[in-house]
Amino acid sequence: MQLTRQSEYAIRTMLELSMLPEGEFMQSRTIAARQELPEQFLNKTVQILARSGLVETRRGMQGGIRLTVKPGEITIADVVAAVEGKIALNPCLADGYHCANQPACRVHGILKRAQAAMLAELGKETFAELAGEDENRITS
Amino acid sequence: MQLTRQSEYAIRTMLELSMLPEGEFMQSRTIAARQELPEQFLNKTVQILARSGLVETRRGMQGGIRLTVKPGEITIADVVAAVEGKIALNPCLADGYHCANQPACRVHGILKRAQAAMLAELGKETFAELAGEDENRITS
DNA sequence: AGTAATAAGATGATATTTATCCTGTTTGTG
DNA sequence: CACAAACAGGATAAATATCATCTTATTACT
């Protein structure tokens, strides 16, 4: 009932990249260092982001990672979706699963709404807003 | 990012019990059979529910499990909380964790609201309502 | 006593998550 | 060209978490 650490790493990565001037690359090493993440594992995460089209990578010197989307146009919901795949609060909600005709599945509707509510929240603020907040942040 | 199966079993159990006349016991065997759950594992789950005070057990003949709360006064949120403990969408939100002063934790607020939104949904309908729906249910 | 029922500890089986290692492949630089 | 910098990706290991079962109590009714 938690986001995986990989999701968290992905979110942090996107946030770092969102704070960069548009079109600029940042290296995974730098991200790993700034956020104190295991570099190799982060690389895997970046690959996922890249395959999902959120990010673009470039090898070799002066390579790195950069956004392919505008920070103003993506949200945490997008990143979580990319990393964790289709979210299903319960197998009951997963694709292709056919609810047995049992009383328990009355629950189905509620879980579905709960999940929708959560995703809606996660989709409310863009990374641009998140990154912006960061500059003059207040101690939480 | 999913409820555990144990949570699901617990929900189904509470639902079965909610459909019983008040004060009546149902045996774990019966619940397991009706819902097609592994009996022994279900027992563990019931123990958790019992320790959380949602349910009461009685050993020996004519023993079983019954609610200690009114179906109209509990929701899926309560059951999930009992089984999964304090929910935290992210370590960041867990008790005692102190956010490093890093940009990523801007995310904190959003995750918190998302989680709250989800729990709010899960707390909207009581088991009385769920069990009621069940009697004249419509094929979903 | 005997039987029906849950309690609880130990243990095992999987599955998932997290992490690392190693060997490519790409790309700029001297 | 040769080299170094940086990501790509397969294999594998380590750590957890989840799911399940077995066994031995303990409780309570008859």
Side-chain angles (χ1 to χ4, degrees), chain A residues 112-133:
Chain A
K112 197 165 181 175
R113 286 195 293 279
Q115 179 177 297
M118 182 183 70
L119 289 178
E121 272 313 312
L122 291 182
K124 269 189 183 166
E125 259 183 274
T126 68
F127 275 92
E129 290 163 329
L130 284 171
E133 269 181 42

Side-chain angles (χ1 to χ4, degrees), chain A residues 27-28 44 47 51 57 59-61 64:
Chain A
Q27 292 151 15
S28 69
K44 305 288 186 188
Q47 284 175 35
R51 284 190 214 107
T57 62
R59 303 202 243 200
M61 283 177 118

